[in-house]
Amino acid sequence: MERHFFKELENLKMTILNMAALTQRALENATTAYLERDEKLAQTVIDGDKKINELEVQVDQYTLKLLALEQPMAKDLRTIMGTAKISNELERIADQAVNISERSQFLCKYPPLKTIPAMDQLIDVSFAMFKKAVACFVNEETKAAYEIREMDDRADAYTLEVLHTLVEYMVKNTPESERRRLNTRRSIQTIIISRCLERVCDLSTNIGEHVAFITEGINIKHQYIDRKE
């Protein structure tokens, strides 16, 4: 029974890693579609979301089976519960990739807006946070969870800078009413993309917090813990 349990637990972890790989690819393709104005690549992200959703269902099934039949305790129980939550965060990150892709498809139909440096920085930090969150899970490294939370402050600052840049653009440019409406619509879609990226950062932070729960049995949500204690 014990050997069977650990095999099922390993299957659960492998499903999560597969889900994480597909989610990372979706996020990469979505941001590339936005940056390179690639409508077909954006559609690839949208079409691929079904597979990620299917994997989340598989994780749910593994979780219920392990909880119902094996009655795990201590770290094994935390692993099952935490992994189920991580699955949910990954699915939501993939949904944000779909949202970015849908907004990018709209933007592809019109001339590009000017380059926004804060958006490029936001994309970079969102990738870094997501990859660190996945590595945190693979290596069971709680320290990285705190590092991810600190990076989230940078993501929030970049998001706010994107918002300020585009609001100023909408206010100051294009006096003609028709062109103003078009610029406003493009700016709003871009702002939504920045909020999607910010959400990716928040969800990556959540993954780190779930890993802290799995590895050490501590809840670091909504609080800052002095690591020196």
Side-chain angles (χ1 to χ4, degrees):
M1 179 66 72
E2 183 174 328
R3 182 178 179 182
H4 172 74
F5 170 77
F6 286 114
K7 181 179 179 180
E8 290 295 316
L9 194 59
E10 187 63 25
N11 288 337
L12 174 62
K13 292 179 180 178
M14 291 304 298
T15 304
I16 283 289
L17 293 178
N18 188 15
M19 194 175 178
L22 292 178
T23 301
Q24 179 173 325
R25 185 187 306 166
L27 187 58
E28 289 174 345
N29 287 341
T31 53
T32 299
Y34 162 71
L35 292 171
E36 299 183 3
R37 299 172 57 78
D38 190 331
E39 193 169 354
K40 290 184 178 179
L41 185 59
Q43 188 61 47
T44 298
V45 176
I46 296 169
D47 294 340
D49 191 54
K50 180 179 178 181
K51 177 60 178 177
I52 296 173
N53 293 338
E54 291 172 351
L55 288 174
E56 185 190 22
V57 172
Q58 288 183 26
V59 170
D60 289 343
Q61 292 172 342
Y62 274 125
T63 299
L64 289 173
K65 182 178 179 181
L66 287 168
L67 290 174
L69 300 180
E70 307 296 346
Q71 297 181 338
M73 298 179 65
K75 185 179 178 182
D76 290 336
L77 177 59
R78 297 198 308 270
T79 298
I80 295 168
M81 294 176 60
T83 301
K85 292 181 178 180
I86 290 172
S87 169
N88 182 250
E89 309 294 2
L90 290 171
E91 190 276 333
R92 293 161 74 188
I93 290 173
D95 285 345
Q96 297 304 319
V98 170
N99 291 338
I100 292 169
S101 298
E102 290 173 343
R103 308 301 172 183
S104 297
Q105 286 183 325
F106 171 86
L107 292 172
C108 285
K109 302 180 187 302
Y110 302 99
L113 292 169
K114 65 178 183 179
T115 301
I116 307 171
M119 180 67 91
D120 295 334
Q121 293 170 314
L122 179 57
I123 290 172
D124 288 343
V125 76
S126 65
F127 270 121
M129 290 178 67
F130 177 77
K131 291 178 180 179
K132 186 178 283 288
V134 174
C136 184
F137 172 72
V138 172
N139 300 322
E140 296 188 355
E141 184 184 2
T142 305
K143 179 182 177 182
Y146 293 91
E147 295 172 353
I148 295 169
R149 295 197 335 166
E150 292 174 0
M151 295 169 69
D152 193 45
D153 292 336
R154 287 162 48 198
D156 292 341
Y158 294 144
T159 304
L160 190 59
E161 188 174 342
V162 170
L163 176 61
H164 286 167
T165 299
L166 288 170
V167 168
E168 183 177 2
Y169 173 76
M170 287 187 285
V171 170
K172 290 185 175 181
N173 287 277
T174 61
E176 302 91 344
S177 60
E178 189 64 31
R179 190 175 175 189
R180 180 185 291 273
R181 282 196 292 270
L182 175 58
N183 283 350
T184 299
R185 291 177 66 193
R186 290 186 300 164
S187 296
I188 290 173
Q189 296 299 318
T190 305
I191 289 170
I192 293 173
I193 289 175
S194 73
R195 296 305 301 270
C196 290
L197 290 167
E198 180 195 23
R199 190 66 186 136
V200 169
C201 296
D202 291 339
L203 295 168
S204 297
T205 301
N206 292 350
I207 292 174
E209 292 171 346
H210 298 322
V211 172
F213 171 73
I214 291 171
T215 57
E216 296 187 15
I218 58 175
N219 187 340
I220 64 173
K221 284 187 175 183
H222 315 304
Q223 58 180 301
Y224 290 91
I225 300 175
D226 188 351
R227 295 295 293 169
K228 295 179 181 180
E229 292 182 358

